[in-house]
Amino acid sequence: MSSWFTKSSDVWEANKTERGASMTLLKRLDFQKGLVQQDFDAPFIVMYSGSAKDANAVVYERGTLDLEFVVDKAAYAYYTHDANEAAYLAAFLNSDAANEAMKPFQSSGLFGARDVSRKILDVPLPRFDASNPLHMGLAEQARACAVEVARYIDQQQLGSQDYNVGKVRLYVRQTLLRPQLTAIDALLRELLGL
């Protein structure tokens, strides 16, 4: 690893522009503290991409991959030690109710809404409370979604072939998970008074 960083740093120094003259490779890798602010002790990470028209969240459990997991700069992440809290937040982020609530404030382009960014975080959501049956119901539905998606990925062998992420995401949201997402929306609407 040390050898790779040395070579990479040399390439960086030889090719950086005048505008980025003061930035080292290490500073670039940790741009805006994107690496050092990650919580490598939290066992659960809730992530979603900021560039889609709707939030599409996933819960990653540390230790399920052979290597340490680092969140990319294009993803928003929340770190927690509570599996139920992670599932609760994923249910919210994946819900039609939350995604619809942010649409009037979301940027749009030629083809409609785009760039979820942080707009979905403006939709009010109570802090997770394990004693609240609505919160636990949302967490249970999110876990059911994760099981269905994992089964679909295995059946379609998506881990071993190229595929169109957008088409898979659309199928998962509109068909595969429709019963769970409908249940999540009902729970969220009750919780948020929508």
Side-chain angles (χ1 to χ4, degrees):
M1 192 69 167
S2 175
S3 175
W4 181 89
F5 270 109
T6 300
K7 288 178 186 174
S8 297
S9 185
D10 290 345
V11 170
W12 176 267
E13 291 300 320
N15 293 290
K16 68 182 175 183
T17 64
E18 200 175 295
R19 188 171 147 218
S22 66
M23 188 172 288
T24 65
L25 176 63
L26 185 57
K27 285 181 182 176
R28 179 62 191 105
L29 289 172
D30 192 33
F31 185 68
Q32 296 181 337
K33 300 189 187 289
L35 287 176
V36 298
Q37 288 184 345
Q38 294 191 32
D39 184 350
F40 292 98
D41 293 326
F44 303 99
I45 308 170
V46 182
M47 295 173 283
Y48 73 93
S49 171
S51 63
K53 76 175 186 112
D54 292 313
N56 293 284
V58 64
V59 176
Y60 170 71
E61 184 175 354
R62 287 199 186 279
T64 57
L65 296 175
D66 293 337
L67 299 172
E68 184 60 66
F69 187 84
V70 177
V71 178
D72 181 76
K73 67 176 178 54
Y76 290 91
Y78 176 77
Y79 305 88
T80 181
H81 291 266
D82 187 331
N84 287 323
E85 179 185 32
Y88 167 76
L89 182 56
F92 168 77
L93 292 167
N94 286 320
S95 73
D96 291 333
N99 279 285
E100 288 168 12
M102 73 160 176
K103 289 294 180 235
F105 310 103
Q106 189 176 3
S107 63
S108 62
L110 186 59
F111 300 105
R114 64 174 188 201
D115 297 331
V116 172
S117 192
R118 293 179 163 268
K119 277 296 149 199
I120 197 158
L121 303 178
D122 291 339
V123 178
L125 179 69
R127 185 174 295 277
F128 176 71
D129 177 1
S131 67
N132 185 320
L134 292 174
H135 293 207
M136 291 305 292
L138 286 163
E140 289 169 22
Q141 289 296 330
R143 279 194 289 280
C145 289
V147 168
E148 285 297 315
V149 170
R151 185 175 20 237
Y152 176 73
I153 289 170
D154 286 344
Q155 287 173 348
Q156 300 298 314
Q157 299 176 339
L158 296 180
S160 61
Q161 63 181 348
D162 289 339
Y163 59 92
N164 182 306
V165 174
K167 286 182 181 178
V168 170
R169 185 185 304 151
L170 193 61
Y171 170 76
V172 165
R173 285 187 77 83
Q174 292 183 348
T175 306
L176 182 69
L177 298 182
R178 186 48 36 208
Q180 292 89 347
L181 291 174
T182 299
I184 286 170
D185 281 341
L187 289 166
L188 261 178
R189 290 181 197 287
E190 183 178 349
L191 178 66
L192 302 177
L194 299 174

